[in-house]
């Protein structure tokens, strides 16, 4: 019985130490959007809200801002977006810094560039 207990104990400790081993941590992806690229709110930003199903919570009867189709720009600017200042915009900081909805690096780069370029309704 003692021999079986020792085998189970040694096996458990071995599994514990080697089961969560990582060779390397995933690299952070930095997406660079060329400065001359024009980001369209309708074509580039609004589809992000659809992709991440933001309207599931952010709708007319839900949490602010209301991101339903047709009302998302008015709900975001100026309350959640400081045109020309992505680091001071609640939309960008909530997604990038707080990791809300795990928005991918490309979508974050588009939102950042759109805000820094003036957050136009185009």
């Amino acid at each position: 019985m003692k021999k079986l207990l020792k085998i189970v104990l040694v096996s458990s400790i071995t599994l514990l130490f080697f089961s969560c081993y990582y060779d390397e941590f995933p690299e952070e992806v930095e997406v660079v959007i060329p400065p001359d690229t024009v980001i369209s709110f309708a074509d580039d930003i609004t589809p992000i809200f659809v992709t991440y199903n933001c309207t599931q919570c952010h709708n007319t009867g839900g949490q602010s801002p209301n991101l339903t189709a047709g009302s998302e720009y008015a709900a975001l600017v100026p309350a959640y977006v400081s045109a020309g200042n992505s680091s001071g915009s609640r939309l960008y900081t909530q997604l990038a810094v707080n990791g809300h909805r795990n928005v991918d690096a490309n979508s974050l780069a588009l939102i950042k560039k759109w805000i820094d370029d003036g957050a136009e309704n185009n």
Side-chain angles (χ1 to χ4, degrees):
M1 184 71 170
K2 287 183 179 182
K3 187 174 184 175
L4 179 63
L5 182 62
K6 286 180 183 178
I7 291 172
V8 170
L9 184 62
V10 169
S11 299
S12 299
I13 291 173
T14 303
L15 285 173
L16 177 70
F17 283 116
F18 293 106
S19 65
C20 295
Y21 178 75
Y22 293 101
D23 286 333
E24 59 186 57
F25 291 103
E27 294 181 27
E28 289 188 26
V29 178
E30 184 178 336
V31 178
V32 177
I33 298 176
D36 59 337
T37 303
V38 176
I39 306 297
S40 165
F41 182 76
D43 296 336
D44 299 313
I45 305 302
T46 300
I48 295 170
F49 303 144
V50 174
T51 300
Y52 289 95
N53 199 17
C54 299
T55 57
Q56 178 181 1
C57 297
H58 297 278
N59 53 42
T60 53
Q63 298 175 1
S64 292
N66 178 7
L67 298 177
T68 55
S71 63
E72 64 269 45
Y73 185 82
L76 288 172
V77 179
Y80 292 87
V81 173
S82 301
N85 181 13
S86 59
S87 62
S89 296
R90 287 178 58 191
L91 172 67
Y92 182 74
T93 57
Q94 185 69 22
L95 297 174
V97 178
N98 297 338
H100 187 66
R101 300 294 276 194
N102 296 322
V103 177
D104 68 270
N106 189 51
S107 298
L108 288 172
L110 287 171
I111 291 170
K112 181 177 183 358
K113 178 141 176 47
W114 171 71
I115 293 171
D116 287 339
D117 286 351
E120 295 181 29
N121 188 9
N122 51 359

